[in-house]
């Protein structure tokens, strides 16, 4: 089976932009087999950041003439490793990834066989990259070349995130080298690249991590200050006084004090006084821990809209209210994701040969029951109605045959339980 191939990977395009291939020539485009850029990646900075760095990076990112998000994304890398923030992000992503979906026809009837084309690793990666646009502001995802899966069905090889440092979403360009002017980049909204690109997020959106940085930066500093406080005041200060002026003896005494941390006793000259001074500092908890806790609650409110689904709650009614707030955020994320799949992904899949014409993507909001609830529902229905034995065979693998003149059948004939 032959599939239409992408004109070139974005990575290879950037790698050969100044080479022998002329991307404006139709003959050269036909020679290209993939569509993602071989970007000349640079090592990302892992230096310590502060609020001044954040503000300067923000200013560069919103520059109208030549927007540059590289320094801002360096700060986002620091933001993303915050443990509390990671938990909030994982909770928000997890709820979307766990949602069921269906492919329906024009009449709204589910087409089960079409689900196989989406039950693939590339589709899960695509969803994750699109959700990340909420936090980074923008995601540019490139569909890989067409192939066949283990069942012989058409599929994309992968769905790759174009490195954000190389994307200028304000002008829909991808640049070969970070720091280049956007005019030197490739317009990914024009053919042939547009047929293999999925775009999530708004071009001018800088994402929730922009706001989260105002809490993760001081939180990280507070943790470092607390460690320093522990080093200075956490252990008693040991002071030795001696009348000796022998430098070797003083050095030996200093060594004994430094090495006495794991010992119960030390040996010192008779004229030596050794004193242990306990710290009088007792407010470290209020100074550091409360500031860190405040940062965590602010992060929770930003990412998941509330605090009680990831932190301890005080009452059932409050937790239910907070859960509803969080559910509203999840519904909004799911709605945006559905629009991306419906308006961008599905039309491209149809043009690439997937048998999905006339079908659309919808979230499956059918109530999911626990096994215990499911058994209770089945027992209730069995009291009034006959159930097709094929249902139990498919669900439990138990072949069933109906019995004649059973109380259940007689009851079903007499009681229109669900009519």
């Amino acid at each position: 089976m032959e599939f239409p191939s992408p004109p070139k990977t974005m990575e290879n395009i950037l790698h050969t932009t100044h080479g022998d291939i002329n991307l404006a020539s139709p003959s050269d485009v036909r020679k290209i087999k993939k569509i993602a850029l071989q970007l000349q990646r640079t090592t990302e900075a892992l230096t310590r950041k502060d609020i001044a760095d954040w503000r300067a990076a923000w200013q560069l990112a919103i520059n109208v003439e030549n927007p540059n998000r590289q320094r801002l994304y360096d700060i986002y890398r620091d933001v993303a490793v915050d443990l509390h923030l990671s938990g909030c992000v994982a909770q928000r992503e997890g709820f979307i990834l766990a949602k069921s979906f269906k492919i329906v026809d024009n009449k709204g009837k589910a087409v089960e066989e079409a689900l196989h084309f989406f039950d693939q690793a590339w589709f899960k990666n695509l969803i994750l990259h699109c959700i990340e646009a909420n936090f980074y502001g923008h995601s540019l995802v490139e569909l890989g070349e067409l192939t066949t899966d283990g069942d012989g069905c058409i599929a994309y090889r992968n769905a790759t995130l174009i490195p954000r440092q190389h994307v200028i979403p304000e002008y829909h360009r991808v640049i070969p080298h970070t720091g280049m002017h956007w005019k030197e980049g490739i317009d990914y909204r024009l053919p042939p690249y547009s047929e293999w690109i999925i775009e999530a997020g708004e071009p001018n959106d800088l994402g929730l991590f922009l706001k989260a940085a105002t809490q993760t930066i001081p939180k990280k500093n507070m943790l470092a200050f607390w460690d320093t406080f522990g080093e200075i005041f956490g252990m008693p200060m040991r002071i030795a006084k001696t009348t000796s002026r022998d430098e070797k003896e003083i050095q030996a005494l200093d060594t004994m004090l430094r090495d006495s941390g794991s010992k119960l006793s030390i040996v010192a000259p008779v004229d030596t006084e050794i004193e242990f001074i306990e710290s009088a500092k007792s407010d470290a908890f209020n100074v550091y821990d409360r500031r860190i806790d405040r940062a965590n609650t602010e992060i929770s409110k930003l990412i998941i809209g509330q605090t009680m689904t990831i932190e301890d709650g005080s009452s059932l009614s409050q937790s239910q209210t907070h859960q509803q707030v969080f559910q509203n955020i999840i519904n909004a994320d799911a709605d945006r994701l559905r629009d991306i799949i419906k308006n961008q992904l599905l039309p491209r899949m149809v043009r690439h040969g997937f048998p999905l014409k006339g079908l659309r993507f919808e979230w499956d909001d059918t109530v999911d029951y626990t096994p215990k609830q499911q058994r209770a529902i089945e027992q209730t229905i069995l009291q009034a109605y006959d159930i097709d034995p094929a249902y139990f065979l498919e669900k439990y693998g138990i072949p069933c045959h109906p019995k004649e003149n059973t109380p259940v059948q007689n009851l079903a004939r007499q009681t229109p339980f669900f009519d």
Side-chain angles (χ1 to χ4, degrees):
M1 183 182 298
E2 293 185 1
F3 301 123
S5 297
K8 192 174 176 58
T9 69
M10 284 279 184
E11 302 195 10
N12 287 335
I13 290 172
L14 291 182
H15 182 70
T16 57
T17 299
H18 302 291
D20 297 330
I21 295 179
N22 180 8
L23 297 178
S25 169
S27 61
D28 281 349
V29 170
R30 284 194 294 268
K31 296 178 184 177
I32 301 171
K33 302 297 182 184
K34 300 171 72 178
I35 196 190
L37 294 175
Q38 192 121 109
L39 302 176
Q40 311 230 349
R41 302 199 181 189
T42 57
T43 302
E44 288 150 354
L46 294 177
T47 56
R48 183 173 178 175
K49 307 297 189 302
D50 56 25
I51 293 297
D53 295 319
W54 166 79
R55 191 173 297 278
W58 185 8
Q59 187 66 59
L60 284 175
I62 61 176
N63 185 292
V64 176
E65 295 182 357
N66 188 23
N68 187 333
R69 302 190 183 192
Q70 183 177 0
R71 288 180 60 183
L72 192 62
Y73 286 146
D74 287 340
I75 292 175
Y76 285 4
R77 179 172 291 273
D78 275 1
V79 170
V81 299
D82 182 273
L83 298 183
H84 186 84
L85 177 66
S86 298
C88 294
V89 169
Q91 189 177 94
R92 186 161 165 176
E93 291 176 342
F95 270 75
I96 298 294
L97 293 172
K99 283 180 67 70
S100 300
F101 62 88
K102 56 186 176 181
I103 306 300
V104 300
D105 58 20
N106 292 330
K107 297 181 180 180
K109 182 180 179 181
V111 182
E112 297 294 332
E113 56 271 19
L115 287 174
H116 181 78
F117 298 107
F118 298 88
D119 188 18
Q120 307 284 345
W122 69 265
F123 184 67
K124 297 178 179 66
N125 289 336
L126 174 66
I127 288 179
L128 186 59
H129 294 323
C130 290
I131 297 173
E132 288 175 345
N134 294 318
F135 313 114
Y136 290 90
H138 188 269
S139 290
L140 192 65
V141 186
E142 183 176 43
L143 301 173
E145 61 186 8
L146 296 171
T147 182
T148 54
D149 62 13
D151 296 324
C153 295
I154 184 173
Y156 293 110
R157 189 173 299 278
N158 49 35
T160 306
L161 178 72
I162 302 300
R164 292 187 172 89
Q165 291 87 343
H166 292 264
V167 180
I168 312 296
E170 293 86 350
Y171 296 101
H172 38 90
R173 295 290 198 278
V174 177
I175 53 176
H177 304 276
T178 56
M180 292 178 61
H181 198 280
W182 63 267
K183 293 181 179 180
E184 301 178 75
I186 297 170
D187 191 337
Y188 55 77
R189 290 187 182 176
L190 295 179
Y193 317 116
S194 58
E195 284 299 298
W196 302 87
I197 291 295
I198 302 295
E199 189 174 8
E202 296 298 324
N204 294 301
D205 187 8
L206 298 178
L208 294 176
F209 280 177
L210 178 71
K211 299 176 182 178
T214 63
Q215 298 302 318
T216 61
I217 292 174
K219 176 186 172 182
K220 182 177 64 174
N221 292 336
M222 276 294 170
L223 286 168
F225 297 156
W226 202 354
D227 287 342
T228 303
F229 180 93
E231 290 180 2
I232 297 175
F233 300 106
M235 295 293 291
M237 182 179 295
R238 292 163 290 186
I239 299 176
K241 300 177 182 178
T242 179
T243 58
S244 174
R245 295 186 179 181
D246 187 346
E247 299 236 352
K248 290 184 179 180
E249 187 174 331
I250 294 175
Q251 182 64 38
L253 183 59
D254 179 67
T255 302
M256 280 192 295
L257 287 177
R258 293 181 183 276
D259 294 343
S260 64
S262 59
K263 299 176 183 179
L264 296 177
S265 61
I266 60 174
V267 178
V270 68
D271 58 349
T272 300
E273 295 181 18
I274 298 178
E275 185 178 2
F276 291 83
I277 301 178
E278 295 283 351
S279 171
K281 299 291 183 180
S282 60
D283 60 348
F285 176 83
N286 289 326
V287 172
Y288 299 111
D289 192 70
R290 288 176 65 88
R291 177 64 183 95
I292 293 169
D293 186 61
R294 176 58 61 89
N296 287 341
T297 58
E298 295 298 304
I299 290 170
S300 296
K301 294 171 186 175
L302 172 67
I303 303 298
I304 58 179
Q306 38 75 44
T307 60
M308 293 180 67
T309 62
I310 198 169
E311 300 173 16
D312 293 335
S314 58
S315 70
L316 177 61
S317 60
Q318 285 182 340
S319 64
Q320 289 175 338
T321 301
H322 284 221
Q323 178 64 39
Q324 185 58 51
V325 171
F326 180 49
Q327 190 60 50
N328 292 339
I329 293 176
I330 296 302
N331 292 339
D333 288 348
D335 189 58
R336 285 191 293 268
L337 183 58
R338 183 196 61 187
D339 290 342
I340 292 172
I341 296 172
K342 179 176 65 176
N343 299 327
Q344 297 188 53
L345 178 62
L346 276 174
R348 287 165 174 77
M349 294 179 72
V350 170
R351 289 194 290 270
H352 293 160
F354 288 80
L356 300 171
K357 189 173 183 180
L359 304 182
R360 68 178 188 272
F361 177 95
E362 294 290 347
W363 295 111
D364 189 354
D365 295 323
T366 304
V367 177
D368 293 327
Y369 297 103
T370 65
K372 183 178 180 180
Q373 291 171 329
Q374 186 72 34
R375 288 193 298 270
I377 292 171
E378 291 170 354
Q379 290 173 0
T380 301
I381 297 175
L382 278 170
Q383 291 177 8
Y385 286 92
D386 292 331
I387 297 181
D388 189 344
Y391 168 80
F392 295 99
L393 178 61
E394 179 180 354
K395 185 171 183 179
Y396 300 106
I398 302 175
C400 302
H401 301 284
K403 294 180 179 180
E404 293 295 332
N405 298 321
T406 62
V408 171
Q409 284 190 331
N410 294 332
L411 179 63
R413 297 187 184 99
Q414 298 172 9
T415 308
F417 190 80
F418 286 97
D419 290 346

